[in-house]
Amino acid sequence: MTDTASHSRRGLIGAAAGLGVLAATDPLRALAAPRKRPDVYGKTSWSESIMMVYLSEDLRTGISYRICRFPDLDDTWVWLQVIVDGQMYAYTDQYLPCTTARNLPDSAMATYDGPGTRARMTRLGTSADLRSMSFSFQGGCHPGTGAKEGPGQVPVSVEGVFWPSRTHPHDQTGRVERTGRIEATVRVGGKSYPIADIAKQHEQTQTGPRFLKGFSYCNMWNAESSFLGLFASDRGYGDYEIGASGQEVKTYAIVKPAPIRRFAAVLADGSRVEGVAHAAISYQIPVYDQIWLGTMVSGVVDGRKMIGTINDWRPQDQAYPASV
């Protein structure tokens, strides 16, 4: 199967469906014409991504929303997973068009979207000094947790605003991560779910290839504290914060993907922090021609109850320890 045929199969639900059905079932595709699948894997090119994650304490409501742009390669990715009443609905498209404009970190405003789509995030303030971020989505999603690409049949919309409260320091160039609050409304199949709670947000710009090497990324939080840990063969970073105080994570390790995962970190002052995460919802996202493994979790970090996400990319390349 050629790249063009593969893209047509995933993105257009079969040529016989026609643009009229397509527009009715998936507003994200309503104005986007069929085109050749962009090739961004392994490419050295400017790229930029912005993301927001929210989970309720019981993990029965959630939003994980990301837009990634490759302005010089004419490609935009949109990932959305929403959880309502404990059920996940997801939209993924790696092959939307992209304008040539760049969202520079020091710009006073930045808009992430794809031409002709109804997926958008708008940052007010610079990347390092965010004032707020609005976000919206409207399209057809797939029910379930499988790695499905293109439009689904369940109408979903998301609209809201994120306001930052604290930024997490770490040494990965071009990436800013923070905790804050959101007010949002999720609509699934005509039913509305209002949200006003804690959320996480990050923005990252780079020129190197994305998702070329494997990693495991842990992001957990509660109202007073936050833990970040990245485990990879060639790099690692993290941050552990309690209230207004925080420390850099110097080393971090986590066991292989499983329903219960233990992890440990050594902080800048030499103290050790241990944690355990219990999988609540595990899901898959197609990235290039591979599968991203995501998990919504609850657990305990350093004696503190937290919720969050653990993401594993190319786990077959990771040398996970047997224990920590």
Side-chain angles (χ1 to χ4, degrees):
M1 180 179 292
T2 65
D3 284 347
T4 303
S6 177
H7 176 48
S8 181
R9 175 182 60 81
R10 287 192 295 262
L12 300 179
I13 327 178
L19 288 178
V21 174
L22 181 63
T25 58
D26 182 30
L28 281 173
R29 288 282 195 176
L31 302 178
R35 67 196 192 105
K36 184 177 180 180
R37 168 177 167 174
D39 180 15
V40 301
Y41 180 73
K43 295 292 181 64
T44 297
S45 180
W46 173 270
S47 65
E48 53 201 43
S49 68
I50 197 164
M51 185 172 187
M52 188 280 299
V53 179
Y54 156 76
L55 292 170
S56 62
E57 276 193 44
D58 61 6
L59 303 180
R60 290 185 55 79
T61 307
I63 308 168
S64 180
Y65 187 17
R66 178 175 189 152
I67 299 177
C68 183
R69 301 177 69 250
F70 299 81
D72 299 335
L73 301 175
D74 189 23
D75 192 26
T76 300
W77 298 353
V78 175
W79 302 355
L80 174 77
Q81 293 81 37
V82 299
I83 306 168
V84 294
D85 298 327
Q87 169 71 49
M88 179 173 282
Y89 301 85
Y91 180 97
T92 303
D93 198 328
Q94 306 176 71
Y95 309 117
L96 292 166
C98 189
T99 65
T100 57
R102 295 183 177 185
N103 287 318
L104 301 176
D106 58 355
S107 63
M109 185 179 76
T111 297
Y112 287 71
D113 61 6
T117 73
R118 294 179 185 173
R120 173 172 292 190
M121 296 190 188
T122 301
R123 161 173 52 86
L124 294 180
T126 66
S127 183
D129 190 21
L130 179 70
R131 290 162 48 200
S132 66
M133 184 191 76
S134 61
F135 51 92
S136 60
F137 172 95
Q138 184 179 353
C141 289
H142 295 279
T145 59
K148 295 181 179 179
E149 191 164 349
Q153 298 301 314
V154 180
V156 172
S157 69
V158 178
E159 187 168 2
V161 180
F162 171 90
W163 292 277
S165 57
R166 61 183 186 270
T167 300
H168 309 296
H170 57 71
D171 60 1
Q172 185 169 356
T173 303
R175 185 178 178 105
V176 181
E177 305 197 37
R178 47 178 56 91
T179 300
R181 293 190 61 83
I182 66 164
E183 291 185 6
T185 300
V186 176
R187 294 181 178 87
V188 177
K191 186 176 180 180
S192 296
Y193 301 82
I195 295 168
D197 208 340
I198 302 167
K200 303 296 287 287
Q201 185 265 358
H202 80 249
E203 185 176 15
Q204 181 174 343
T205 58
Q206 65 187 67
T207 55
R210 285 184 180 265
F211 301 114
L212 199 59
K213 298 180 179 180
F215 62 82
S216 181
Y217 179 71
C218 177
N219 182 10
M220 298 181 68
W221 65 88
N222 60 27
E224 294 81 29
S225 53
S226 169
F227 178 85
L228 301 173
L230 181 136
F231 174 73
S233 60
D234 63 337
R235 68 198 189 283
Y237 70 82
D239 174 69
Y240 180 44
E241 296 188 7
I242 305 170
S245 63
Q247 286 200 62
E248 182 182 355
V249 168
K250 288 298 186 181
T251 64
Y252 169 74
I254 185 169
V255 300
K256 67 182 181 180
I260 300 175
R261 299 181 75 175
R262 297 188 180 276
F263 54 90
V266 176
L267 307 182
D269 66 359
S271 60
R272 177 180 167 91
V273 170
E274 296 182 355
V276 59
H278 299 262
I281 300 177
S282 295
Y283 59 99
Q284 301 175 331
I285 302 175
V287 180
Y288 305 128
D289 292 320
Q290 302 173 58
I291 300 298
W292 164 294
L293 303 178
T295 309
M296 311 299 192
V297 302
S298 63
V300 177
V301 180
D302 195 28
R304 294 174 170 83
K305 291 183 178 180
M306 296 190 188
I307 56 174
T309 62
I310 298 179
N311 300 317
D312 291 273
W313 172 244
R314 296 182 61 86
Q316 69 273 18
D317 297 340
Q318 290 281 77
Y320 294 101
S323 61
V324 294

